[in-house]
Amino acid sequence: MRDRTFVSSLGEHVGRSVTLYGWVQRARPSGKVAFLMIRDGTGMCQCVLERNEATADFFDLAKKLPQESSIRITGRVKADERAIGGVELHEVTACEVLGGSDDFPITPKPHGIDFLFKHRHLWFRSQRQHAILRIRATLVDAIRQFFNGRGFVLIDTPIFAPAVGEGTSTLFEVDYFGEPVYLAQTGQLYVEAACMAHDKVYCFGPTFRAEKSKTRRHLTEFWMVEPEVAFIYLDELLDLAEDFIVSVVQRVLADHRAEIESLGRDVTALADIRRPFVRLKYADAVEILHGSQARDLLERDLVEKKAAVEALTQKIKELEETESSAAKDWQREKAAQEVQAAREERAELEEQIPNIPTHMKLAAGFQWGSDLGGSDETIISRLHDRPVIVSHYPKEVKAFYMRLARDDDRLVENFDMLAPEGYGEIIGGSMREEDYNILLERVKAHHLPVEAFEWYLDLRRYGSVPHGGFGLGVERTLSWICGLKHIRETIPFPRMLGKIYP
Ligand code: 4AD
């Protein structure tokens, strides 16, 4: 469209006539004037149409254009401080409908979350979803720039994998010309091979886990970036992970502060993310879970959440009264929307309250040797205002490839990074076992077929070196950055247990 001007650049065209292409967010007639709010993917602009001889043929049509009609509209750009983006389109000389839109399903009225996900392909157009996916795109770019800028080589790893990468319980099996293979749970084993050739490498792609749990942190298909470095020790690997997080968070914040704020997220907590992070060993984490701080936190939670439910119940009652007595449509709609939001918030709290005593029991009774569960991670991360790194887990709960700690072979040299504010694990990583004999024993101890790992063992047969890496989940990181309660809004088309459409 050679004549097209984008809303984002209208500031450069004040006083000139331009043509916009976009979708009608809202059309509002007011006597001989009509206001069209246009959205074009780069921003929103109010267009003001006046009825006169020259505009008569399109004015009557334009003033009642249905939501999401696509149009081409020409007019003069006028600066107006009060307008979104500081400009409006006036003196409209042409307005042409390109694609009609009858009964767009997502209206300004309240909709439940299931309905919105069923219409994910259309829900994309809402301001909030638009913001989240833009922030995601920048996060992905920031990740690539961080590693490219430090001399890491991108290695694309396969999605069809002949053997397990992380754990047998979350494999998706597919039929590969009559042979069972699995969708990649990680590209790690392959980047280990590549780092022996290039020193510093990373892979970045879709990752599959047959997670049967319906939690706010789990997808069955997610994106993971996995750097891998030769000749590195654990503390250096942790330094790299800290630098990485600070760098991507600062970049996303620099580019999207306003959008992140528009999601209701307090950005000061993000702006404060700097090194050093908190570094704990698994044994310290166990102590925290058994301690009074953890208990007090959950007891406080219980009291606060119960009080919040009561306050919401009162608020819903008041809003319902406003809704039924409101004189204007927009007042009724606003009240209805607030009722819906308050009901959802209350339902969520009511779901969480009975879990708190369970989480208290789990934390207090945590046994050395178990893996930290989601609720344990939440407690530890909520007790710190910076990301927390927990290292040196018992080998039984971790993958076969992790390097045994040489001073205590009950433990492995691994780490998980927990995002603050209860967001839980965003990074999992480790040093890799570089000793051929120990690794072979570990493959056998995990009952894995040695033949499938012969190539992987070769890496230890020919010039083995200390090496390690980690994996960061894009969606969990984005949830934290955007302050979202659930991971499902962080990926364009989420795949979860029971969710595969559209
Ligand atoms: O801790 P994980 O399982 O680590 C690995 O896969 C290693 N092979 C990585 C490596 O060392 N190269 O997963 C890493 C991260 C998690 O911290 C989390 O952010 C994300 O991947 N992740 C998930 N994200 C969404 N849904 C799921 N089901 C996820 N499982 C892991």
Side-chain angles (χ1 to χ4, degrees):
M1 310 275 171
R2 291 188 194 282
D3 61 342
R4 183 174 191 191
T5 300
F6 287 99
V7 169
S8 56
S9 69
L10 285 181
E12 299 157 26
H13 298 276
V14 173
R16 270 184 250 145
S17 175
V18 300
T19 297
L20 300 179
Y21 286 79
W23 294 264
V24 176
Q25 186 101 353
R26 194 168 56 243
R28 189 162 58 84
S30 173
K32 290 200 175 240
V33 184
F35 301 94
L36 293 189
M37 186 59 85
I38 306 295
R39 197 192 76 241
D40 80 343
T42 73
M44 290 221 273
C45 176
Q46 171 148 280
C47 305
V48 184
L49 286 78
E50 286 175 54
R51 194 177 200 292
N52 54 40
E53 263 177 44
T55 62
D57 58 335
F58 61 76
F59 182 89
D60 292 331
L61 179 73
K63 75 176 183 191
K64 41 181 200 266
L65 272 179
Q67 186 192 351
E68 291 306 318
S69 311
S70 53
I71 63 164
R72 173 178 187 273
I73 187 166
T74 305
R76 194 171 301 283
V77 183
K78 187 178 168 203
D80 185 332
E81 272 179 16
R82 295 159 305 172
I84 304 173
V87 285
E88 285 185 344
L89 205 72
H90 283 243
E91 298 173 44
V92 172
T93 53
C95 178
E96 187 192 335
V97 179
L98 305 175
S101 165
D102 284 334
D103 303 323
F104 187 71
I106 304 175
T107 63
K109 294 203 183 79
H111 297 287
I113 195 77
D114 289 340
F115 178 88
L116 292 169
F117 269 107
K118 220 168 113 197
H119 295 87
R120 181 68 171 161
H121 51 298
L122 302 176
W123 191 28
F124 271 177
R125 307 180 190 192
S126 84
Q127 232 173 320
R128 187 181 157 82
Q129 299 308 313
H130 186 267
I132 295 171
L133 293 185
R134 290 218 154 192
I135 299 167
R136 177 185 170 107
T138 300
L139 173 63
V140 168
D141 185 51
I143 290 170
R144 292 189 193 285
Q145 285 208 8
F146 178 86
F147 291 115
N148 293 340
R150 289 181 170 227
F152 283 67
V153 178
L154 173 70
I155 299 292
D156 296 314
T157 50
I159 293 203
F160 289 133
V164 62
E166 276 306 309
T168 45
S169 64
T170 61
L171 286 170
F172 273 117
E173 193 177 303
V174 286
D175 175 17
Y176 191 75
F177 306 115
E179 297 241 345
V181 299
Y182 311 102
L183 297 182
Q185 293 175 308
T186 171
Q188 180 203 315
L189 308 196
Y190 299 100
V191 283
E192 280 188 59
C195 86
M196 302 299 165
H198 298 274
D199 188 60
K200 287 185 290 203
V201 298
Y202 71 102
C203 62
F204 193 178
T207 309
F208 304 89
R209 304 265 169 105
E211 301 275 9
K212 288 240 169 71
S213 47
K214 268 194 182 170
T215 79
R216 3 181 122 242
R217 293 178 182 167
H218 287 97
L219 295 165
T220 50
E221 178 177 339
F222 63 96
W223 282 66
M224 178 154 68
V225 60
E226 297 181 84
E228 190 73 25
V229 184
F231 298 108
I232 197 167
Y233 294 113
L234 184 63
D235 56 337
E236 297 164 323
L237 189 61
L238 302 190
D239 291 344
L240 177 71
E242 291 192 3
D243 276 343
F244 171 53
I245 292 298
V246 171
S247 164
V248 298
V249 168
Q250 294 317 322
R251 161 79 194 285
V252 171
L253 201 53
D255 287 11
H256 294 285
R257 182 178 279 263
E259 275 155 312
I260 297 175
E261 277 174 338
S262 79
L263 301 172
R265 210 258 188 262
D266 168 16
V267 292
T268 49
L270 288 180
D272 285 344
I273 299 297
R274 56 177 79 95
R275 295 190 60 194
F277 294 0
V278 179
R279 293 187 185 181
L280 303 173
K281 292 201 167 158
Y282 170 87
D284 307 322
V286 175
E287 244 173 67
I288 291 178
L289 291 175
H290 291 165
S292 60
Q293 263 187 314
R295 196 182 52 242
D296 293 350
L297 178 81
L298 294 182
E299 276 173 359
R300 220 169 32 241
D301 259 5
L302 199 57
V303 174
E304 283 171 9
K305 288 193 171 160
K306 281 184 177 164
V309 166
E310 269 178 41
L312 281 167
T313 305
Q314 180 60 25
K315 184 175 164 191
I316 292 167
K317 221 169 103 195
E318 286 163 18
L319 284 166
E320 280 170 345
E321 279 161 20
T322 314
E323 192 186 342
S324 59
S325 63
K328 301 236 161 52
D329 276 356
W330 69 265
Q331 288 170 326
R332 250 191 308 281
E333 267 175 25
K334 186 165 170 279
Q337 237 169 27
E338 285 173 3
V339 168
Q340 169 94 3
R343 282 216 185 106
E344 276 173 18
E345 200 182 329
R346 184 177 62 180
E348 228 167 80
L349 286 167
E350 282 172 342
E351 211 184 294
Q352 289 166 8
I353 287 171
N355 293 333
I356 297 175
T358 316
H359 294 164
M360 278 166 107
K361 247 200 222 146
L362 284 173
F366 189 91
Q367 297 277 340
W368 194 100
S370 333
D371 201 0
L372 296 178
S375 63
D376 305 318
E377 288 175 357
T378 305
I379 294 171
I380 291 165
S381 84
R382 282 182 61 203
L383 289 172
H384 299 91
D385 59 359
R386 283 172 295 155
V388 179
I389 291 177
V390 185
S391 66
H392 296 91
Y393 281 56
K395 67 179 174 212
E396 278 74 21
V397 294
K398 289 292 166 188
F400 72 96
Y401 55 73
M402 293 187 178
R403 184 180 199 267
L404 293 188
R406 297 303 192 250
D407 54 355
D408 183 350
D409 71 3
R410 294 175 308 155
L411 308 179
V412 284
E413 289 189 6
N414 78 312
F415 74 99
D416 282 349
M417 187 190 288
L418 313 179
E421 302 163 79
Y423 277 91
E425 184 198 321
I426 52 170
I427 289 184
S430 75
M431 295 296 297
R432 322 304 187 189
E433 184 53 68
E434 79 270 19
D435 181 282
Y436 174 87
N437 292 316
I438 301 178
L439 182 61
L440 183 61
E441 283 314 307
R442 299 271 287 146
V443 170
K444 289 181 185 161
H446 280 253
H447 308 291
L448 297 170
V450 176
E451 339 58 90
F453 291 92
E454 280 301 341
W455 71 269
Y456 186 65
L457 286 159
D458 267 354
L459 306 177
R460 281 71 181 170
R461 286 190 185 103
Y462 305 108
S464 190
V465 303
H467 65 287
F470 57 82
L472 168 126
V474 167
E475 293 75 16
R476 293 222 188 138
T477 308
L478 191 64
S479 265
W480 164 51
I481 291 178
C482 293
L484 305 178
K485 290 189 186 137
H486 202 295
I487 198 166
R488 61 195 167 195
E489 281 177 70
T490 60
I491 185 160
F493 291 98
R495 299 291 180 246
M496 291 163 23
L497 186 64
K499 193 183 285 299
I500 194 91
Y501 175 90

